[in-house]
Amino acid sequence: MGIRKKTNKNPPVLSHEFVIQNHADIVSCLAMVFLLGLMFEITAKMTVMFVTLQYNVTIPVEGVLEPISLYHYGIKDIATVFFYMLVAIILHAVIQEYVLDKINRRMHFSKTKHSKFNESGQLSAFYLFSCIWGASIIVAENYFADPTSLWKGYPHTYFPFQIKFFYISQLAYWFHAFPELYFQKAKKEDIPRQLVYIGLYLFHIAGAYLLNLNRLGLVLLVLHYFVEFFFHMSRLFYFSNEKFQKGFTLWAVLFVLGRLLTLILSVLTVGFGLARAENQDLDFSSGNFNILAIRISVLASICITQAFMMWKFINFQLRRWREHSAPHPPSQKKKPVSAKGKSSRKEKENGINGTITSNGADSPRSRKEKSS
């Protein structure tokens, strides 16, 4: 993410700089329009599908007086995702202004660290919230106590309020990342990486939601978010103190374990559990997608994604190993003081012997290796 520079000059109304500086206020006003629409009978029927979850179904249960309210998905969910995408943009701006910007002013990061610190700060807050929320749903639905529930009773067409709201919130958050590339002035060289990153999340979350694999998707998301949260927290601690690097070592272990558990759960659920189910006919009306072609596609997408992540992880570790093992140039001797006691102005600007010196405020500090 880029760095937002606040200036005293007021940019022209509706200009790019005006929208970037005031995008949180603009989006807040747009969200208020939907909330005000609930107050009037004429607009309430239209705006209610933006604010509340749709496709509520009441199912009677034997031995229970009150029926259970469950949900399924439909085309109206697009409107709900859009509204909560606006909420995600507002929360993003609040965290940025009241938390991250204040820390940045105290730490005096370089431009590169400033951008990475904002990215890790936003993602760590989102991952932590999603982990706690998802873990509470898993415990409430007893998915840990009975792992066979991940595939037993498929298709899982109807699901509780918390699961549907969780998926709506996840889709809304990752869709909000697209306009944030513009609002945060992302660098052109970082945009392709961000688009791939966001696209992979949307592809897998929407796939689990639409194929009625919401239970498996929930467990895999919580597992993945926990590993990612640990990585971004380690990076935040590293930015505050470059000596703190043990977090990356522990994250490397968790990353490999996370990939293995993801593959194991996916193969058990899709490759064995669903493959042995009695109903293996494609039926859009009942939401049954348990056929061989779709199972192979699901497993292939998961395996390819995990292999891609492992490839990126191995390259990251090799790059760090090369940085640590690379021999450092010998320190240059200080130039003797001239008779006048001051070096020339050219030497001060260009550095000793004509080499350009880096500004400590604009570039990260070089790491000092401990002698073994």
Side-chain angles (χ1 to χ4, degrees), residues 231-242:
F231 168 74
H232 287 285
M233 285 302 299
S234 299
R235 194 157 74 158
L236 290 176
F237 282 114
Y238 171 76
F239 289 152
S240 62
N241 185 1
E242 292 188 357

Side-chain angles (χ1 to χ4, degrees), residues 32-59:
M32 287 298 298
V33 170
F34 290 104
L35 295 177
L36 290 174
L38 297 174
M39 301 176 62
F40 305 97
E41 185 177 357
I42 299 176
T43 58
K45 293 181 180 180
M46 182 181 65
T47 56
V48 70
M49 68 179 180
F50 286 89
V51 180
T52 62
L53 301 184
Q54 301 298 304
Y55 305 105
N56 182 18
V57 177
T58 302
I59 300 177

Side-chain angles (χ1 to χ4, degrees), residues 45-272:
K45 293 181 180 180
M46 182 181 65
T47 56
V48 70
M49 68 179 180
F50 286 89
V51 180
T52 62
L53 301 184
Q54 301 298 304
Y55 305 105
N56 182 18
V57 177
T58 302
I59 300 177
V61 180
E62 296 181 359
V64 180
L65 296 177
E66 296 183 359
I68 299 176
S69 295
L70 299 177
Y71 293 82
H72 61 96
Y73 64 81
I75 192 66
K76 293 182 181 179
D77 289 341
I78 297 176
T80 312
V81 170
F82 175 76
F83 175 78
Y84 286 99
M85 181 187 71
L86 301 180
V87 176
I89 293 175
I90 297 171
L91 294 176
H92 187 113
V94 170
I95 295 174
Q96 183 66 45
E97 182 174 356
Y98 293 99
V99 180
L100 299 179
D101 284 348
K102 291 183 178 181
I103 297 176
N104 282 324
R105 295 191 196 101
R106 295 181 180 180
M107 301 301 294
H108 303 288
F109 290 129
S110 65
K111 292 181 179 180
T112 303
K113 284 188 176 182
H114 192 165
S115 176
K116 293 181 179 180
F117 181 86
N118 289 339
E119 180 183 5
S120 292
Q122 293 286 349
L123 289 175
S124 60
F126 168 72
Y127 288 144
L128 177 62
F129 175 76
S130 298
C131 276
I132 296 175
W133 187 9
S136 65
I137 297 174
I138 292 173
V139 173
E141 298 296 328
N142 293 323
Y143 293 158
F144 282 148
D146 184 16
T148 60
S149 61
L150 296 179
W151 61 83
K152 186 185 296 184
Y154 181 87
H156 307 137
T157 310
Y158 300 102
F159 34 87
F161 171 84
Q162 288 293 336
I163 292 182
K164 173 152 187 175
F165 194 30
F166 180 84
Y167 273 93
I168 292 294
S169 301
Q170 296 300 311
L171 292 171
Y173 181 86
W174 291 111
F175 270 115
H176 112 282
F178 288 117
E180 284 296 341
L181 295 177
Y182 171 72
F183 294 145
Q184 299 296 327
K185 295 182 179 180
K187 298 179 181 179
K188 292 183 179 179
E189 57 270 20
D190 291 340
I191 290 179
R193 176 183 65 87
Q194 294 283 353
L195 292 178
V196 172
Y197 190 75
I198 298 167
L200 286 174
Y201 273 108
L202 289 174
F203 175 76
H204 288 87
I205 294 173
Y209 186 62
L210 297 176
L211 295 177
N212 291 318
L213 294 171
N214 44 75
R215 298 181 182 181
L216 175 64
L218 174 64
V219 175
L220 295 184
L221 270 180
V222 172
L223 177 61
H224 176 75
Y225 283 171
F226 175 75
V227 178
E228 290 296 297
F229 167 74
F230 203 90
F231 168 74
H232 287 285
M233 285 302 299
S234 299
R235 194 157 74 158
L236 290 176
F237 282 114
Y238 171 76
F239 289 152
S240 62
N241 185 1
E242 292 188 357
K243 295 181 179 179
F244 185 85
Q245 297 188 24
K246 295 181 179 179
F248 292 110
T249 303
L250 182 57
W251 163 75
V253 177
L254 293 176
F255 184 89
V256 176
L257 292 177
R259 305 286 71 79
L260 291 176
L261 287 176
T262 298
L263 292 175
I264 291 172
L265 289 174
S266 301
V267 172
L268 283 177
T269 303
V270 181
F272 291 95

